Amino acid sequence: MPNTNIKGITMEIKVHNGVISAPENNQTIFYIQSKGNNAGRPLLSPITNCWEVKTFRSVDFEILYIIFESRILEPFIGGSVIPFIRLHDYKNIIKPILNNAINEDNKVNEKYLQIRKIETQIKKQEEIKYLLLQLKSTISKEVLKTIKKHLL
């Protein structure tokens, strides 16, 4: 699959083959969901029916997330049973946006970094929720043991 050149930055988008690639120096690898109701959504981990994106610009994930959230991909999603977006269409949509996403002086928009911080906070909150649910389960099991001892 040919690379997409964006302001001197090379970005490779290809169908994910199930093998997780190791990033090169300063390379960021993430994934884009290609099928389903969330076609076009950037992902940190691969799923079935996704594309692999390799880029040397770390904010590209956040920029593509903004594109997904803006819903501009919706007119390009087809499929009568399973929604999908074509890789060719996706590349044509994102190329001009990625070209204009970084200022001429190569300064990164602070909003991209804010999105990254929010994503990090969400992940931390999910971890806390998981730990609290485990604690709740453990306490419930301990209480149940105590109750059973008093019944016997």
Side-chain angles (χ1 to χ4, degrees), residues 3-68:
N3 294 341
T4 304
N5 289 320
I6 301 161
K7 277 194 182 177
I9 304 289
T10 302
M11 172 185 275
E12 181 183 348
I13 304 176
K14 64 179 185 175
V15 174
H16 180 62
N17 62 6
V19 177
I20 297 177
S21 303
E24 297 174 10
N25 281 347
N26 298 322
Q27 189 179 50
T28 300
I29 298 177
F30 56 91
Y31 307 89
I32 303 292
Q33 185 172 338
S34 61
K35 292 185 180 175
N37 292 328
N38 290 317
R41 177 180 61 162
L43 307 163
L44 295 174
S45 301
I47 61 170
T48 306
N49 299 315
C50 70
W51 304 314
E52 180 180 82
V53 178
K54 293 182 181 182
T55 182
F56 289 97
R57 231 171 40 176
S58 65
V59 296
D60 285 344
F61 179 87
E62 285 78 13
I63 296 167
L64 295 178
Y65 180 81
I66 291 167
I67 292 170
F68 172 73

Side-chain angles (χ1 to χ4, degrees), residues 58-112:
S58 65
V59 296
D60 285 344
F61 179 87
E62 285 78 13
I63 296 167
L64 295 178
Y65 180 81
I66 291 167
I67 292 170
F68 172 73
E69 282 292 320
S70 71
R71 304 175 75 107
I72 63 173
L73 299 173
E74 285 183 355
F76 299 94
I77 295 176
S80 58
V81 177
I82 299 173
F84 67 93
I85 187 166
R86 291 176 184 83
L87 182 55
H88 177 74
D89 291 341
Y90 186 77
K91 285 182 179 182
N92 287 338
I93 296 164
I94 68 165
K95 187 174 180 178
I97 296 171
L98 287 170
N99 278 334
N100 295 321
I102 302 294
N103 297 336
E104 291 302 319
D105 56 3
N106 286 329
K107 287 189 178 176
V108 174
N109 187 327
E110 292 297 319
K111 300 288 185 198
Y112 305 154

